[in-house]
Amino acid sequence: MSELPPDHNADDQPDPFDEIIAEETDRDPDLAVIEAGSRTLRTQGGPPDADIPTRPADPEVDKALREVETELATRWGETKLEPSVSRIAALMDVLGEPQRSYPSIHITGTNGKTSTARMIEALLGAFELRTGRYTSPHVQSITERISLDGAPIAPERFIETYQDIKPYVEMVDASQEYRLSFFEVLTGMAYAAFADAPADVAVVEVGMGGSWDATNVIDGDVAVVTPIDLDHTDRLGSTHAEIATEKAGIIKQGATVIMAQQPVDAAQVLLKKAVEVDATVAREGLEFGVVERQVAVGGQLVTLRGLGGEYPEVYLPLHGAHQAHNAAVALAAVEAFFGVGAQRADALDLDTVRKAFAAVASPGRLEVVRRSPTVVLDAAHNPAGARAAAEAIGEAFQFSRLIGVVGASGDKNVRGLLEAFEPVFAEVVVTQNSSHRAMDADELAGIAVEVFGEERVQVEPRLPDALEAAITLAEEEGEFAGGGVLVTGSVITVGEARLLLGRG
């Protein structure tokens, strides 16, 4: 890592964090924004190899894994819900309540949950704790969803865990009005695998919402709420406050709440729930935040203010201001887990924190998978995620001409997503992934034409053809002109593109 520019001297400069807070006199202090630095720092390094598992090399293991995947696919998918935790609670009961055998950090929000979970996992692992992480959806392999000690669960162990709980799953199926869903069974597998490991701490991302999400049979010692925006409005509500009401369901009695920057009405709901259950709250922009951020090769160099003090010059191999804010949230969550700010006042060991963040990977989040031209993958699937990706790609890559490849799900705010990317895409190639939820390419093209104009839209229903067309368009700039491709719109689109481009 390179040193800071020679004129940088923290000792003779005012504290930027205090200056920013002082300037926020005309706004709700709960929503104070920690401004990001704009200087460019050239530093060595880049993102570590993403831990995306491939298909098992052993044909027998691969066959057994496919059989498990086939059985799980017969259940309700993740988009078909009956809002209740009764089925998963019944499964936990017959399994002996495995989720109560370890403390947990529970994460909800609209965007940034998986990246934040990965950062929390990396920090806990760096402090020599055995971790179990449960996130969704997966990019390429179903085994990604359950991680032990910072790595996806082995296919053999995934299969074994499924076979171990299968009789109990069938028992619960027989006693309930509806069978356990795909997500509920996977949640049960994760909690059982963590208990069996055994994990010292579980890092759990909600699937959707909070109150009635299958993961919410845990009582998280720390409840993390990443930024809330409008998504899944048909199930969670049409306003920030309504969505926050559902997500506040993970805040349990006496817990510590780590709250990212939120819309005012969402913040009010979360704070009210915290008061009701006597939870302690730490708010980004007040108790913790991003002090300084400098663009770096392969990521960024950040100074974070945590609950126990300042953590300067932390290299984060991820792009974008949103990832710096995710890092601040993750750090505060781990500090809270260790009692910093409550039982103890000292900060976490700086070198350990730096080492942990430097090792973070978040596959499919502004991930470079090819050069000449550069192809970047980002799983943005709603307007807020698209705005963050658009801002970050302009800052980190500075393409002279950017071509978009967009394949979206039909149940998303596709127009809002396209409008967020319109200022940065010179042209867009619309396509569709293999999911039954995928929006038809021609339907997507109709919306894209309204947003971009007909001359900037190309339709390629097959993803391989779309990637080829986009790369060709980017190459029209010439070998050294700086054209690039961003593949986005859905986690499934990103995962399939990743495979097609030879990653995993």
Side-chain angles (χ1 to χ4, degrees):
M1 185 187 302
S2 299
E3 295 179 352
L4 286 168
D7 62 348
H8 182 90
N9 186 340
D11 293 332
D12 59 16
Q13 294 189 17
D15 186 340
F17 189 94
D18 291 339
E19 285 187 339
I20 293 161
I21 295 301
E23 291 171 1
E24 293 295 333
T25 56
D26 60 342
R27 295 182 54 206
D28 185 330
D30 291 338
L31 306 174
V33 177
I34 307 306
E35 298 293 347
S38 60
R39 294 190 303 276
T40 298
L41 177 75
R42 303 296 293 178
T43 186
Q44 300 302 314
D49 292 335
D51 54 345
I52 296 291
T54 58
R55 297 300 309 185
D58 186 326
E60 291 301 315
V61 175
D62 187 51
K63 179 182 177 183
L65 180 60
R66 290 185 188 278
E67 289 174 354
V68 172
E69 291 170 323
T70 299
E71 289 187 24
L72 288 170
T74 65
R75 297 180 174 274
W76 275 2
E78 289 168 286
T79 59
K80 186 173 183 180
L81 304 169
E82 194 276 318
S84 167
V85 295
S86 60
R87 293 176 302 280
I88 187 67
L91 179 61
M92 293 296 99
D93 182 51
V94 296
L95 289 176
E97 304 289 348
Q99 82 282 12
R100 304 201 184 283
S101 63
Y102 39 78
S104 57
I105 298 175
H106 205 179
I107 307 167
T108 190
T110 302
N111 290 305
K113 296 188 296 294
T114 298
S115 293
T116 302
R118 285 176 168 271
M119 294 179 197
I120 291 172
E121 173 190 50
L123 284 163
L124 293 169
F127 284 99
E128 299 184 351
L129 292 182
R130 297 203 68 190
T131 57
R133 172 173 55 83
Y134 181 52
T135 53
S136 61
H138 58 272
V139 178
Q140 287 178 199
S141 171
I142 194 171
T143 59
E144 296 166 37
R145 295 177 179 238
I146 303 173
S147 287
L148 296 170
D149 293 323
I153 190 172
E156 295 87 350
R157 195 164 188 177
F158 184 91
I159 296 163
E160 180 183 354
T161 302
Y162 176 76
Q163 296 298 343
D164 284 346
I165 76 165
K166 182 178 178 180
Y168 302 97
V169 168
E170 292 172 344
M171 187 187 308
V172 173
D173 284 342
S175 66
Q176 298 289 318
E177 182 179 2
Y178 303 106
R179 298 171 70 214
L180 287 154
S181 69
F182 169 88
F183 186 74
E184 287 169 334
V185 174
L186 279 175
T187 302
M189 289 174 61
Y191 290 162
F194 299 162
D196 186 60
D200 295 321
V201 55
V203 182
V204 178
E205 173 190 339
V206 303
M208 187 185 299
S211 296
W212 43 258
D213 187 74
T215 63
N216 204 29
V217 289
I218 59 171
D219 293 327
D221 300 74
V222 178
V224 176
V225 187
T226 67
I228 290 173
D229 212 300
L230 302 181
D231 198 12
H232 301 296
T233 53
D234 56 329
R235 298 180 178 90
L236 302 180
S238 58
T239 68
H240 293 119
E242 290 174 345
I243 293 172
T245 299
E246 289 297 331
K247 295 183 183 295
I250 74 163
I251 301 174
K252 304 299 175 61
Q253 187 72 35
T256 299
V257 183
I258 304 300
M259 196 170 80
Q261 295 168 8
Q262 304 291 348
V264 173
D265 52 350
Q268 290 171 340
V269 170
L270 296 170
L271 292 170
K272 180 181 178 182
K273 177 59 183 288
V275 170
E276 290 173 354
V277 297
D278 196 27
T280 302
V281 179
R283 299 152 294 180
E284 184 181 7
L286 287 180
E287 286 78 21
F288 69 93
V290 180
V291 174
E292 187 176 10
R293 189 176 71 86
Q294 302 176 14
V295 176
V297 174
Q300 54 194 304
L301 198 70
V302 298
T303 294
L304 304 175
R305 171 67 62 85
L307 304 179
E310 194 164 293
Y311 299 80
E313 300 178 44
V314 175
Y315 177 64
L316 180 66
L318 301 173
H319 300 290
H322 61 295
Q323 294 290 17
H325 289 285
N326 290 340
V329 170
L331 176 61
V334 173
E335 286 183 308
F337 182 78
F338 285 125
V340 175
Q343 289 85 25
R344 48 183 284 196
D346 55 314
L348 301 178
D349 179 73
L350 177 59
D351 289 339
T352 304
V353 169
R354 285 173 172 166
K355 179 180 178 182
F357 276 119
V360 168
S362 194
R365 278 73 181 177
L366 289 177
E367 179 187 14
V368 177
V369 292
R370 172 186 164 142
R371 301 284 186 183
S372 299
T374 299
V375 178
V376 183
L377 308 180
D378 192 84
H381 56 273
N382 56 43
R387 288 191 294 269
E391 179 183 349
I393 202 164
E395 173 189 84
F397 296 94
Q398 299 178 341
F399 292 120
S400 60
R401 186 165 182 258
L402 181 62
I403 309 299
V405 175
V406 179
S409 296
D411 58 349
K412 295 296 182 180
N413 181 358
V414 174
R415 180 179 295 276
L417 181 139
L418 292 172
E419 288 174 345
F421 282 122
E422 191 277 332
V424 298
F425 286 166
E427 297 183 55
V428 61
V429 182
V430 297
T431 188
Q432 62 190 76
N433 57 55
S434 64
S435 168
H436 68 280
R437 295 172 55 200
M439 176 174 281
D440 178 78
D442 289 331
E443 181 182 355
L444 179 56
I447 302 172
V449 167
E450 294 175 3
V451 174
F452 288 86
E454 189 172 357
E455 69 283 355
R456 293 168 64 194
V457 178
Q458 183 171 332
V459 186
E460 295 290 350
R462 296 181 64 254
L463 183 56
D465 297 336
L467 292 172
E468 183 177 352
I471 289 170
T472 301
L473 288 170
E475 287 174 336
E476 288 179 359
E477 286 279 279
E479 184 178 357
F480 302 107
V485 174
L486 175 63
V487 183
T488 189
S490 164
V491 175
I492 297 169
T493 300
V494 162
E496 293 180 356
R498 205 172 187 278
L499 282 169
L500 289 167
L501 292 166
R503 296 297 294 268

